[in-house]
Amino acid sequence: MLVAAAVCPCPPLLVPEVAVGAAGETEALRGACLDAVRGLADVELVVVVGTGDKAGVWTEGGAGSFRRYGVPKAVKLPLGGVDGPELSPALTVGAWLLEEAGVQVPTHAVAVRPDTAAERLLGLGRGLAELADRVGLLVLGDGSARRSVKAPGYLDERAEGYDGAVAAALAAADVTALAALDADLSAELLAEGRAPWQVLAGAAEGASLGGELRYEDAPYGVGYLVASWR
């Protein structure tokens, strides 16, 4: 069953070597993420969940790199090999967070497409929760990328309210609210976290976990939310 979850955004700027001069600007976000991820150290199995261009599953390890950002840095999932397809960018950030947080637990990874229907995501989450007696999820996804005029998707007045509602759901470990997130609105607001958050909602059904919101801001016009569930 699900006993813990860490919810983090996945901008590559979390990685200091990628951020370079902006590393200081993301220090508070990075610290909140690492604190949340350290809460997964006592589980039997960690499952990293993030978006990808294609759906995929990694059960025997997996590796990714930040070369697409001009940084010759590679990472891999804990206690696994490096065979198979490369981890998606979101999952690569997740592998980096686990490495930086010192979490050495058997780890699987799952990539979901951002446009996946809610029912499929909820069902996937239910299945992940049954993989071990003590499962932890590392859930990776950004909020709306339309929080300001300089945001990747420009300003949408609905974006702040959307992210605020997600933040409240994460703080309260409200699986019903996450499960009810509207896929069309999420897509319009460029909120790729919707799909991973709904996997979490499915996994946490009946688990009676509590939530703690560790970070909420939109420093680059993109909503970044960090939470811990236990």
Side-chain angles (χ1 to χ4, degrees):
M1 65 178 293
L2 184 73
V3 297
V7 180
C8 298
C10 49
L13 289 176
L14 275 177
V15 181
E17 293 93 329
V18 176
V20 192
E25 298 175 8
T26 56
E27 183 175 358
L29 173 60
R30 184 163 50 251
C33 288
L34 291 174
D35 285 343
V37 173
R38 291 186 185 106
L40 303 176
D42 62 346
V43 303
E44 294 177 28
L45 174 70
V46 169
V47 183
V48 186
V49 181
T51 57
D53 292 337
K54 298 187 296 183
V57 177
W58 290 258
T59 60
E60 303 296 331
S65 80
F66 297 96
R67 293 186 182 89
R68 60 175 59 85
Y69 309 111
V71 176
K73 181 178 181 63
V75 293
K76 71 182 188 71
L77 297 173
L79 306 182
V82 296
D83 295 334
E86 184 174 1
L87 296 172
S88 72
L91 298 178
T92 298
V93 171
W96 179 83
L97 285 170
L98 290 168
E99 181 180 283
E100 287 295 301
V103 176
Q104 291 293 308
V105 174
T107 302
H108 295 176
V110 177
V112 293
R113 286 179 51 87
D115 59 355
T116 305
E119 281 306 312
R120 292 189 62 185
L121 297 166
L122 295 169
L124 171 61
R126 296 180 193 111
L128 296 179
E130 296 176 352
L131 291 177
D133 289 337
R134 293 179 56 81
V135 175
L137 293 189
L138 172 51
V139 181
L140 299 154
D142 299 344
S144 174
R146 305 193 68 177
R147 289 285 298 273
S148 74
V149 295
K150 295 184 178 180
Y154 196 69
L155 176 65
D156 188 307
E157 298 292 348
R158 302 170 295 173
E160 185 174 356
Y162 175 95
D163 284 347
V166 174
L170 292 175
D174 188 340
V175 298
T176 301
L178 292 182
L181 289 172
D182 185 86
D184 291 335
L185 176 61
S186 301
E188 290 171 13
L189 296 178
L190 306 181
E192 289 207 358
R194 190 274 307 181
W197 298 330
Q198 289 187 323
V199 175
L200 169 62
E205 287 180 2
S208 300
L209 301 181
E212 177 187 359
L213 188 68
R214 294 178 175 270
Y215 183 97
E216 178 187 6
D217 203 356
Y220 304 108
V222 181
Y224 294 150
L225 303 167
V226 181
S228 296
W229 287 18
R230 288 195 71 88

